[in-house]
Amino acid sequence: MAQVKDYLRPGKLPHIWCPGCGDGTVVGAMIRSIDKLKLDRDLVTVITGIGCSSRVNNIMDFHSFQTTHGRAVAFATGYKVAKPDMKVIVVTGDGDGAGIGGNHLIHAARRNIDLKVILINNQIFGMTGGQFSPLTPNGAIASTAQYENTEYPFDVCKLMEAAGATYVARGTVYHLALTEKLITRSLEHKGFSYVEIITQCPTGYGKRNKMADPYQLLMWQKENSVPVEQAGKYSAEELKDKFIIGELLVRNDRTEFVEANARLIDKSRAKAKGGSGK
């Protein structure tokens, strides 16, 4: 088994993440999953948008490129259509993916295109200045919510299920073994895969919300997560503000988008040559 450092670009280290940030832990989990599956690194592409999470493409030694803010899924869709044999992994954050790029996320899920979206949820726009994101808890403090955030977050996993994703899961940095397993399964799945990983941002979120110590944030993840296998034991009131973690949806009843288009092209060509096109 290779080590994590074998998949990193030495010339791009050290990374720029703050001490205590969970993004590096997620990178380690991704790499171990890729290594476990023995994926050819020349057939893996990592695509990112803008934000702390989007720095992963800089240090991970795969084909990679960074796109504009919120547009990673849109770029990845075009890339996957052009290069269907590539394993395409999109790494995004809650501000980049669920906020600015939320519409792209919905329609990629609806199409069931074979993208592996890993959304690192640190509950804040970290790199751009600590503004609140669509996943910042109600009542939390952010640079753009000096007294408190009056908006409510939403459950992106449920949105992905409703939009048509065929693999949906959620993990946390605290539950790292589970998270690594979920990433591995998403890489094996054919179709649109969404894995949300709750992580800690001690600088942009924690300091403003009296949890500056990364340990406090990890314990918060532990105390507020409920394994999906145990969720049925809790009342709706007990589950309020909790995160359901684990494999939330797996379905195989939808044709993958690129394959569906390839069949359509074959039909069109057959029809052009005088066939029935069926």
Side-chain angles (χ1 to χ4, degrees):
M1 178 179 293
Q3 297 184 28
V4 169
K5 65 180 179 62
D6 297 329
Y7 288 86
L8 300 179
R9 295 174 172 140
K12 299 296 183 181
L13 297 174
H15 58 71
I16 65 169
W17 290 313
C18 302
C21 173
D23 286 5
T25 307
V26 176
V27 167
M30 289 173 59
I31 287 175
R32 285 189 292 275
S33 295
I34 291 169
D35 185 67
K36 182 179 180 180
L37 295 174
K38 302 186 185 305
L39 299 181
D40 183 343
R41 69 170 65 189
D42 288 332
L43 295 178
V44 175
T45 299
V46 178
I47 300 174
T48 64
I50 297 293
C52 298
S53 61
S54 300
R55 299 300 296 176
V56 307
N57 79 306
N58 195 44
I59 64 171
M60 295 179 75
D61 191 14
F62 300 99
H63 297 292
S64 66
F65 59 93
Q66 187 172 19
T67 70
T68 49
H69 212 169
R71 312 303 175 211
V73 171
F75 278 86
T77 296
Y79 182 86
K80 180 65 180 180
V81 170
K83 292 185 174 296
D85 294 333
M86 299 295 289
K87 184 77 73 178
V88 181
I89 304 171
V90 176
V91 182
T92 184
D94 46 306
D96 185 62
I100 297 172
N103 204 39
H104 298 302
L105 194 63
I106 291 170
H107 293 290
R110 178 177 61 81
R111 296 183 183 109
N112 192 34
I113 186 166
D114 190 26
L115 301 180
K116 315 303 171 191
V117 176
I118 296 175
L119 189 144
I120 302 176
N121 176 11
N122 64 1
Q123 304 177 306
I124 201 86
F125 276 93
M127 182 175 286
T128 56
Q131 300 92 341
F132 66 87
S133 83
L135 304 190
T136 300
N138 176 259
I141 305 298
S143 65
T144 48
Q146 296 284 329
Y147 297 102
E148 66 176 43
N149 177 27
T150 56
E151 297 184 6
Y152 291 90
F154 69 107
D155 190 329
V156 185
C157 287
K158 288 184 177 177
L159 177 66
M160 290 294 93
E161 292 180 18
T166 49
Y167 185 91
V168 180
R170 181 188 287 121
T172 78
V173 168
Y174 177 85
H175 302 87
L176 188 58
L178 169 66
T179 297
E180 190 173 316
K181 183 169 72 175
L182 298 174
I183 294 172
T184 302
R185 289 183 175 174
S186 77
L187 293 173
E188 294 177 305
H189 180 77
K190 183 72 172 179
F192 187 86
S193 302
Y194 173 83
V195 180
E196 179 179 326
I197 303 171
I198 298 169
T199 186
Q200 68 276 8
C201 175
T203 302
Y205 181 81
K207 285 183 178 178
R208 292 185 172 92
N209 291 280
K210 300 179 180 179
M211 290 188 288
D213 187 335
Y215 175 80
Q216 291 176 282
L217 290 163
L218 286 168
M219 291 303 101
W220 182 89
Q221 293 171 24
K222 175 186 177 184
E223 293 162 4
N224 288 281
S225 298
V226 177
V228 65
E229 297 84 1
Q230 300 177 17
K233 301 176 183 177
Y234 293 81
S235 67
E237 183 64 24
E238 289 172 325
L239 289 175
K240 185 181 178 183
D241 298 327
K242 301 291 186 186
F243 297 102
I244 308 298
I245 59 173
E247 204 163 54
L248 306 178
L249 175 75
V250 183
R251 56 188 290 194
N252 297 295
D253 59 332
R254 287 191 159 203
T255 305
E256 195 277 326
F257 178 74
V258 177
E259 287 187 355
N261 276 305
R263 292 177 192 172
L264 182 63
I265 291 170
D266 289 342
K267 286 182 180 178
S268 299
R269 287 174 174 167
K271 188 174 183 179
K273 291 178 180 178
S276 65
K278 296 183 179 179

